[in-house]
Amino acid sequence: MGIVCELYRLPDSEIEELKKLNIDEAEVYLDEKFAWVDSDYHKQNDTVFSMDKGWDITRFLIQECDHSPGKILAKLNERFIKSIDVKLINKELETIGIEHLKNAYNQEKLIENYVYHAKYKIHWDYIDNWHLKLYKSGFKKASESNCGIAINYN
């Protein structure tokens, strides 16, 4: 199956509590509350935004397109992002489209940076309609509801 990535929308207060835990404890919490389909907070495309193997390529290319003064999209490498940064990330994501990602694409650079699945052929429709869309919708939903984002890998 490979490594999948999920974005979880949750309040800043929960982000703060998760930051206090070691990573294994935080992952158990996220798995129990969000990842499992029957869990308390699992609402697909509302509190949970699930991406499969193309998430890392998309994340890397999104970051290559970051024109914000403080390079806010570097926060996509963090596990827990508070609402103030979610709003800034959302604003920057709104400016990025599939053509930007295509223009930023450099397979050698992806491989050099150990991007997951970098050796495989890119299917741009898949990146656009699945991964870019989910990054954007997850951060938009969190921004609109004044929430943070936790990023979990399975």
Side-chain angles (χ1 to χ4, degrees):
M1 178 177 178
I3 300 171
V4 297
C5 174
E6 292 184 321
L7 309 177
Y8 303 137
R9 180 178 62 84
L10 62 166
D12 282 345
S13 58
E14 284 187 59
I15 295 279
E16 283 302 316
E17 292 303 313
L18 287 168
K19 285 182 172 183
K20 294 176 187 175
L21 302 174
N22 71 45
I23 195 62
D24 291 333
E25 293 169 329
E27 285 180 355
V28 166
Y29 176 86
L30 292 171
D31 285 345
E32 289 177 355
K33 298 291 184 181
F34 291 90
W36 295 330
V37 177
D38 293 329
S39 62
D40 295 342
Y41 302 115
H42 187 97
K43 294 182 183 132
Q44 194 63 37
N45 298 325
D46 180 25
T47 57
V48 177
F49 300 84
S50 303
M51 295 175 274
D52 64 8
K53 298 173 208 63
W55 64 267
D56 200 23
I57 292 169
T58 307
R59 178 187 59 152
F60 186 86
L61 294 175
I62 286 170
Q63 290 173 324
E64 290 291 292
C65 297
D66 188 352
H67 298 296
S68 66
K71 298 294 183 191
I72 190 65
L73 296 178
K75 294 262 183 194
L76 294 175
N77 297 326
E78 297 179 12
R79 297 298 289 262
F80 308 110
I81 306 169
K82 291 185 78 173
S83 63
I84 190 165
D85 290 328
V86 164
K87 290 178 186 299
L88 295 171
I89 291 168
N90 181 58
K91 185 177 178 183
E92 190 65 19
L93 283 174
E94 288 176 344
T95 70
I96 298 172
I98 192 62
E99 291 304 318
H100 297 102
L101 300 188
K102 287 179 179 180
N103 290 335
Y105 179 73
N106 177 327
Q107 188 175 35
E108 287 180 24
K109 191 170 183 178
L110 288 163
I111 293 169
E112 288 170 11
N113 284 278
Y114 304 101
V115 173
Y116 183 64
H117 268 251
K119 295 182 214 172
Y120 298 98
K121 182 181 181 210
I122 297 288
H123 298 280
W124 291 108
D125 286 341
Y126 180 65
I127 294 291
D128 188 24
N129 294 317
W130 186 252
H131 296 95
L132 182 59
K133 179 181 178 180
L134 285 170
Y135 271 112
K136 286 182 163 195
S137 60
F139 277 88
K140 181 178 183 182
K141 182 78 171 180
S143 180
E144 290 171 347
S145 57
N146 201 35
C147 286
I149 291 278
I151 302 175
N152 198 28
Y153 308 98
N154 296 309

